[in-house]
Amino acid sequence: MRILDGGLVTTVQDTGRYGHYHIGMPPSGAMDQYAHKVGNWLVGNDESDATLEMTYMGADVEFESDTVFAVTGADMEPKLEDEPIPTWTAVRAEAGDTLSFEFATEGVRSYLAVAGGVDIEPVMGSRATYTLIGIGGHEGRSLEAGDELPIGEPSADADAMVGASVDEANRPDYSRTEISVVMGLCDYRLTDDGRERFLDADWNVSDEADRVGYRFEGPDITDMFEEREQPFGAGTDVTNVVDLGYPVGSIQMAGQPIILMRDAVTGGGYVTVGTVVSPDRDALAQCRTHSTVDFNAVDVEDALEIRQDRDARLETVQNSLEDATQ
Amino acid sequence: MSDGTITRQELPSPRYEYGGDDWVFVELAEAMSFDANFKAQAITQEIRQNSLEGLIEVAPSNASYLIQFDPDVLHPDELIEELRSLEDEIDVSDYQWEARVFDIPVLYDDPWTRDTLMDFRERHQDPDATDLEYSAELNGFDSVEAFIDHHAGAPHMVTMIGFVPGLPFCFQMVPRDEQIEVPKYEQPRTATPSRAIGFGGAFTAIYPVPGAGGYQLYGRTPVEVLDVDQELSAFEESMVLPNPGDILNFRQIDREEYDEIREAVEDGTYEYNYEQVEFEPQAFFEDPRGYNEQLLEVLD
């Protein structure tokens, strides 16, 4: 597959790189795991195969051999040889065909899955691109015009998938802006009133929203915290703590709230007050700059239920797509 | 005044916190201490060895630790129960580990971090002083030289790796009343040179890559703490140099030595000076000065 135009930010991603958080290595991987996995299943791949993640404005690519592909996630009005093609659907392309995209009309990130997956050498068990230190993906960076990406051997099912499609009901609604959060970590630093104001406020996704984290604009946060004599080693600001680990999905209060995403900084000295539940990290990855997000506090049992609902939905999609090959 | 020993800290009851559906964060103490850190190291090493089904990430931090797990296999409450029982069982004075002691040469007050800190004076508490001058005065030192001698005068334990890959947070191995404490910048800088030596709260950090940062800037090391391509011999097993629990000794060098070492690092021929030791917390607590001297002998 050849990249004719890299779009805004296009990287190779997969389900992520695990087991290295203690050396400061975030998982990376597709920001919207749901769209990534479903895209892979649509073309007969394993969910861990590598796809292309495109941001706001997709890439233009040329297929170098006959193949089956699918586009999931945000709608960027994909066109194959200038003809509109459906999203969330397996499509056949011939050698030499060009796939192009427009600016996303809803959501932020689209995934291009190709039968066989992007077949580059994994780094520490993953093909996910982590640009900060330049590892994974294609040369550890965003794709540019002229890049050539090798594609793996398609599975035996790939051809039979052509035309298979995900039910409307199982395509996420990317206009949704309610994000479920388990409050906790160091939220004891918030006053009761501060906690309430944090949860009630309208938070706008700022233009500093990328794979590392989403920074939000809203009310002043400094008066949401309890004054205290700062503990030894924490630093002097009311939002400082002795440097600690930040979960992916956690909300750190560094002047403004920042929710850490899949290329997270893994730790630091700002207070964390809660964590977005994992399915809603996918949803947040599709929230656009300037959109308003509503944080909804849930307890851990609710969080586990939200996860189970998502898993059940994924299983339904996977089963229906497996039936398509029979 | 201290009697030269490390005063043991009574830790509060740990705070066990859910991080969404798939993380547990455990805060052992709000304040930094060797007790809190060694306990975090001990529990995280123990939980790794127990090879509990469903663990994804196990990351010790300064006075806390973080675990990611697969809730389909391991319920968070089951994990917390396991962590509570480890917390009861572990006595850090019985706990020992294999640590590597590294020589880390540092050009203090180097031209690169000095340029950077001068560019960001308006974000600093004291725009008219350098970060070293500010920190020396705040901590009651008569001169920048005396402050540098103190920073380089006793080794530092790596108590956490994070923020970005390979960035060590280091806590100086001296009694509390000899420890340096400085605020972070009022507003973080948007730039920091790679290999800068920074200080914030009670921690020294080495920045592996250029980027944002809020720590006071003291110097620059010619050696790498992150080698993505693993070309230098010390990186054969991992792309990051120190692990939590390792010990760094910052050694003041001059520009000539800095340039020599840097050339060797860039050639890929630099051999780090380090040795493995068995670290014994109890011996360290009782006589940190004597114990540190003994530790550093391995670098001779």
Side-chain angles (χ1 to χ4, degrees), chain A residues 17-27 123-124 130 132-135 182-189 228 230-237 240-249 264-270 272 274-279 281 300-301 303-304 307-308 310-311, chain B residues 15 17-23 25 27 30-33 48 56-64 66 68-72 75-77 125 160-167 169 171 176 179-185 188 200-203 209-210 215 226 228 238-240 242-244:
Chain A
R17 180 176 289 114
Y18 294 95
H20 310 287
Y21 220 71
H22 63 289
I23 60 164
M25 184 81 74
V123 176
M124 299 166 91
Y130 178 39
L132 181 85
I133 62 167
I135 62 165
V182 178
M183 293 298 283
L185 307 178
C186 300
D187 72 331
Y188 63 85
R189 294 288 300 113
R228 65 169 173 180
Q230 284 292 91
F232 179 73
T236 45
D237 193 86
N240 284 162
V241 291
V242 167
D243 297 65
L244 42 74
Y246 297 148
V248 172
V265 290
T266 62
Y270 288 102
T272 47
T275 313
V276 173
V277 302
S278 58
R281 293 171 210 154
V300 71
E301 289 304 327
L304 292 169
R307 181 190 182 95
Q308 280 155 11
R310 190 268 324 262
D311 288 349
Chain B
R15 241 187 260 269
E17 297 281 339
Y18 304 113
D21 50 320
D22 59 345
W23 296 84
F25 169 73
E27 189 179 65
E30 290 178 39
M32 181 58 186
S33 64
R48 274 179 195 280
I56 298 172
E57 302 286 359
V58 178
S61 38
N62 291 314
S64 55
L66 188 60
Q68 189 183 25
F69 55 94
D70 177 356
D72 299 336
H75 190 281
D77 291 332
Q125 289 84 351
M160 167 174 169
I161 305 272
F163 184 61
V164 297
L167 184 148
F169 289 83
F171 190 53
R176 167 79 61 96
Q179 256 155 356
I180 302 165
E181 200 181 8
V182 293
K184 298 154 194 172
Y185 271 47
F203 302 101
V209 287
Y215 276 28
L226 173 73
V228 169
S238 169
M239 62 170 75
V240 309
N243 284 315

Side-chain angles (χ1 to χ4, degrees), chain A residues 21 179-187 189-190 195 198-199 203 212-216 221 224-225 239 241 244-261 264-265 268-277 280-281 284 293-298, chain B residues 18-20 23 25:
Chain A
Y21 220 71
I179 299 294
S180 292
V181 170
V182 178
M183 293 298 283
L185 307 178
C186 300
D187 72 331
R189 294 288 300 113
L190 291 168
R195 184 189 164 91
F198 170 73
L199 287 169
W203 293 105
V212 176
Y214 272 42
R215 183 184 281 272
F216 291 86
I221 64 154
M224 293 179 182
F225 292 92
T239 60
V241 291
L244 42 74
Y246 297 148
V248 172
S250 65
I251 307 167
Q252 59 154 299
M253 302 293 252
Q256 290 160 318
I258 298 172
I259 297 185
L260 293 166
M261 306 298 273
V265 290
Y270 288 102
V271 62
T272 47
V273 298
T275 313
V276 173
V277 302
D280 284 13
R281 293 171 210 154
L284 188 59
V293 168
D294 183 17
F295 295 131
N296 174 38
V298 298
Chain B
Y18 304 113
W23 296 84
F25 169 73

